[in-house]
Structure formats: C-alpha cells, structure tokens
Amino acid sequence: MDKESKIYIAGHRGLVGSALKRKLESKDYTNLLLRTHKGLDLTKQQEVNDFFEQEKPEYVFLAAAKVGGILANSTYPAQFIYENMMIEANIIHASYKYGVKKLLFLGSSCIYPKFAPQPLKEKYLLTGLLEETNEAYAVAKIAGIRLCKHYNQQYGTNFISVMPTNLYGPNDNFDLETSHVMPALIRKFHEAKVNNEPEVIVWGTGKPLREFMHVDDMADACVFLMENYDFSEIGEFVNIGVGEDVPISELVKIIKEIVGFKGKIKYDTSKPDGTPRKLMDVTKLSSLGWKANISLRNGIKETYEFYMKTQRIKIKIAI
Ligand code: GFB
C-alpha cells in the first residue's frame, strides 16, 4: 500500500473500523474512503456494486459486520447470519469484480469448534461442532473465510483473513443487553459506584476463560499484515491474539478495582456461559514478526476513561 492508495474501510464507525482509521491516519495514509450506513447499505448488492464501480478502491478492510455479545448472538441468530453473509458476499464479490488489489477480511475466534484443543490453531477450523450461542455468527464468518480462499483459488485475487480474539476499546458498544462482557462490566461497575448500589450482577458462573485484546493492537496487526504479507504467504487466515487468557471472575476483579467499586458481586447463573475457553494460538502471527503491546490493565483503564468521557458528553448534551 502506498500512502496515497485509495483505501476503503468498511465499518469505519465501529470498534475495529474506527481503530483502523486511527491507525492508518497516524501512519499518514491520506486517501481513506469512508461511507456511513445511511450513504451505503452494505447488505444491498446493487448499492455495493455502484459504490465500487464509482470509487474503485485499491485496498479494502472489511470490518463491517453485525456484532454483539453472547445474549445478542443467541437472541437474534437470523439477523446475525443474514446480515453478515450479505455484507461479506457483496463486498468480496465487488472487490473481485472491480479489481481490488488486496482485501483484509475480519473473522472471529468463535469460528473454532466449541471443544477444540487449546490454544486454538488455525488448522482446527471445521474439525467439530460450534458453540450454540453464536453458531449463526460463526457460520457467517466461516463463509467469509472460505469466500476469500475460493476467490483467491479461482480468480487469483489477494484476499487475506484474520481471526481476532475478543476485542475491546474505545467506540465499543456499552449497551447492557447487546454488548460484550468488557464494556458491559465497565458500565455496570461505574453505574453501581455512582449510584451507591450494594452489588453488581455478573452473567454466568464466572468460570469461562476469555482472551482480551485492545482494538488498537488489533488495528496495528491488520495494517502490518496488509503492508507486508499476501495470501500466498500467509495461507487461509491468521489468528490475532495476545496469547493468554483470564477467567471472567478475574476480569470482574480487575474492572471492579479499576473503577473503584466497593460492593459485592453476584453471579446470575440463569445467563449462559458460552464456550468454556477460546485461547488463540498466535505462533503463526509471531513468526510473521508481530506481537501485542497493550497490557490488559492499561487497556481497561483507557477504555474506562473513554467511557467516562462519552458519559460526560451525553450529560452536557442533555443539559
Ligand atoms: O463477551 P461475551 O458476551 O461473549 O461474554 P463470548 C463472555 C463471557 O462473559 C460469557 C460473561 O461467559 C458471559 O456469560 N458475562 C458476564 C457477560 N457478565 C456479562 C455481561 O454483563 N455481559 C456480557 N455480554 N457477558 C461472543 C460471541 O462470545 O464473543 C460472538 O457471542 C463473538 O460471536 C464475540 O465471537 C467475540 O465471548 O461468549
């Protein structure tokens, strides 16, 4: 990629897309192509084709997706599978049709079988049954990986895929029903502290293990791969993670301490735990020369500051 290359970030307002935008701008990429949902509905093939025909992007980061936490995934499976498959098929096909030089597709660690050996190696894809709470999303993401692979095989395109672990950071979704665990807990502990509540409710048993990566590390890894490696070098896809995980109960303790909540924690076991563990094997990524930088504690502190800043802005607007 040259600094003047026309680079389309699909989903630039989301957690990952906004981090990609920050990273590319900080590296002086000057020709970023951005569209909001209002201007371009990525589930509509004709709109996507017209956009690619008119704009002719040279590079594409496919970070647009319908995403959510464990409850959103299990409550709205039809929307998760339909919207994600439409977005992927439309963008990947248009990228082939209009001669995109290179595309990066973002998958997810939930593509791996529920009981795959840990840590998860890239070769475990499609070796067993998926976790039920996010099967719809996982099937759509697997379709995206295979779209890239088969377009490369048949048409000689250069579409690469990455599988990130659980991500968090600025511009995350802090809605208590649809968010992932990290933003949900930051908000729950903050509101409980401010309102002097005696306890915070945490979903599930607290026993599942999760690996968390700050989205700025993720964006750094994506740009690194786009700049340096082609499909012919990295193969079907690469895991992106930090290489270690924590039980949810430990994450709860860390967030409680950072926020400064003094009350009790109660586990609501009527809510699902999801997959017991999904730790990424990052051997392949390390061998390519990249590793994560941001520690879990520092990342959480920064995300909590972001959350408080947006809260203050909301209060100011309301006044
Ligand atoms: O982050 P999360 O929603 O998704 O939940 P997954 C992770 C774990 O945290 C689960 C527990 O065991 C939840 O039960 N948890 C505890 C909570 N308290 C809360 C809470 O207040 N909110 C939430 N959301 N969880 C998602 C998949 O799985 O991970 C997606 O559904 C995607 O497909 C994403 O792959 C990265 O890690 O279980």
Side-chain angles (χ1 to χ4, degrees), residues 88-145:
E88 293 160 9
N90 289 340
I91 295 186
I92 291 167
H93 188 70
S95 295
Y96 149 65
K97 201 169 161 189
Y98 295 102
V100 165
K101 290 179 185 159
K102 191 169 175 183
L103 171 145
L104 181 138
F105 169 68
L106 275 117
S108 164
S109 59
C110 67
I111 54 140
Y112 288 111
K114 177 170 186 169
F115 296 115
Q118 305 281 325
L120 298 158
K121 294 186 196 300
E122 285 87 351
K123 67 179 180 187
Y124 298 158
L125 177 70
L126 292 174
T127 55
L129 293 175
L130 298 163
E131 153 65 25
E132 307 78 45
T133 53
N134 54 33
E135 195 205 65
Y137 180 71
V139 167
K141 288 295 179 185
I142 293 170
I145 300 171

Side-chain angles (χ1 to χ4, degrees), residues 146-166:
R146 287 287 150 102
L147 271 167
C148 290
K149 176 182 165 177
H150 295 308
Y151 273 63
N152 292 337
Q153 276 177 345
Q154 189 178 340
Y155 301 130
T157 48
N158 187 13
F159 299 163
I160 61 174
S161 298
V162 294
M163 296 308 119
T165 189
N166 287 35

Side-chain angles (χ1 to χ4, degrees), residues 68-70 73 108 110 134 137 166 179-181 184-185 188 202-204 208 210 248 272-273 278:
I70 193 163
N73 266 269
S108 164
C110 67
N134 54 33
Y137 180 71
N166 287 35
S179 67
H180 289 102
V181 62
L185 291 182
K188 282 183 184 177
V202 175
W203 295 354
R210 292 290 184 275
I248 294 299
D273 265 348
K278 43 178 175 176

Side-chain angles (χ1 to χ4, degrees), residues 3-232:
K3 299 294 178 189
E4 299 78 30
S5 299
K6 203 169 199 184
I7 304 170
Y8 171 45
I9 308 173
H12 74 281
R13 282 184 164 173
L15 174 68
V16 178
S18 61
L20 285 167
K21 181 171 173 284
R22 285 195 299 279
K23 173 56 62 184
L24 290 166
E25 283 171 347
S26 77
K27 296 191 84 174
D28 296 325
Y29 286 96
T30 55
N31 198 1
L32 302 185
L33 187 54
L34 312 166
R35 284 290 184 284
T36 61
H37 184 75
K38 243 182 164 185
L40 173 60
D41 181 346
L42 295 172
T43 64
K44 303 275 188 307
Q45 188 180 34
Q46 191 60 53
E47 286 189 30
V48 175
N49 278 341
D50 291 348
F51 168 72
F52 272 73
E53 187 171 14
Q54 195 184 334
E55 296 292 347
K56 302 256 167 30
E58 293 168 84
Y59 295 87
V60 173
F61 287 88
L62 207 180
K66 179 164 184 66
V67 297
I70 193 163
L71 199 64
N73 266 269
S74 49
T75 313
Y76 311 110
Q79 284 167 264
F80 274 79
I81 194 165
Y82 173 76
E83 288 180 31
N84 284 307
M85 284 178 52
M86 294 303 282
I87 292 169
E88 293 160 9
N90 289 340
I91 295 186
I92 291 167
H93 188 70
S95 295
Y96 149 65
K97 201 169 161 189
Y98 295 102
V100 165
K101 290 179 185 159
K102 191 169 175 183
L103 171 145
L104 181 138
F105 169 68
L106 275 117
S108 164
S109 59
C110 67
I111 54 140
Y112 288 111
K114 177 170 186 169
F115 296 115
Q118 305 281 325
L120 298 158
K121 294 186 196 300
E122 285 87 351
K123 67 179 180 187
Y124 298 158
L125 177 70
L126 292 174
T127 55
L129 293 175
L130 298 163
E131 153 65 25
E132 307 78 45
T133 53
N134 54 33
E135 195 205 65
Y137 180 71
V139 167
K141 288 295 179 185
I142 293 170
I145 300 171
R146 287 287 150 102
L147 271 167
C148 290
K149 176 182 165 177
H150 295 308
Y151 273 63
N152 292 337
Q153 276 177 345
Q154 189 178 340
Y155 301 130
T157 48
N158 187 13
F159 299 163
I160 61 174
S161 298
V162 294
M163 296 308 119
T165 189
N166 287 35
L167 302 171
Y168 70 96
N171 297 323
D172 210 337
N173 165 20
F174 287 86
D175 178 272
L176 291 178
E177 288 295 305
T178 58
S179 67
H180 289 102
V181 62
M182 179 78 83
L185 291 182
I186 288 177
R187 177 169 169 185
K188 282 183 184 177
F189 279 116
H190 177 74
E191 290 184 349
K193 183 180 86 167
V194 171
N195 300 324
N196 280 318
E197 283 161 18
E199 64 181 20
V200 160
I201 310 280
V202 175
W203 295 354
T205 62
K207 289 184 185 142
L209 290 143
R210 292 290 184 275
E211 179 187 10
F212 295 98
M213 180 184 232
H214 193 283
V215 73
D216 285 345
D217 269 341
M218 172 65 190
D220 191 58
C222 290
V223 173
F224 168 80
L225 291 171
M226 272 299 248
E227 285 175 337
N228 296 299
Y229 290 99
D230 290 335
F231 170 72
S232 56

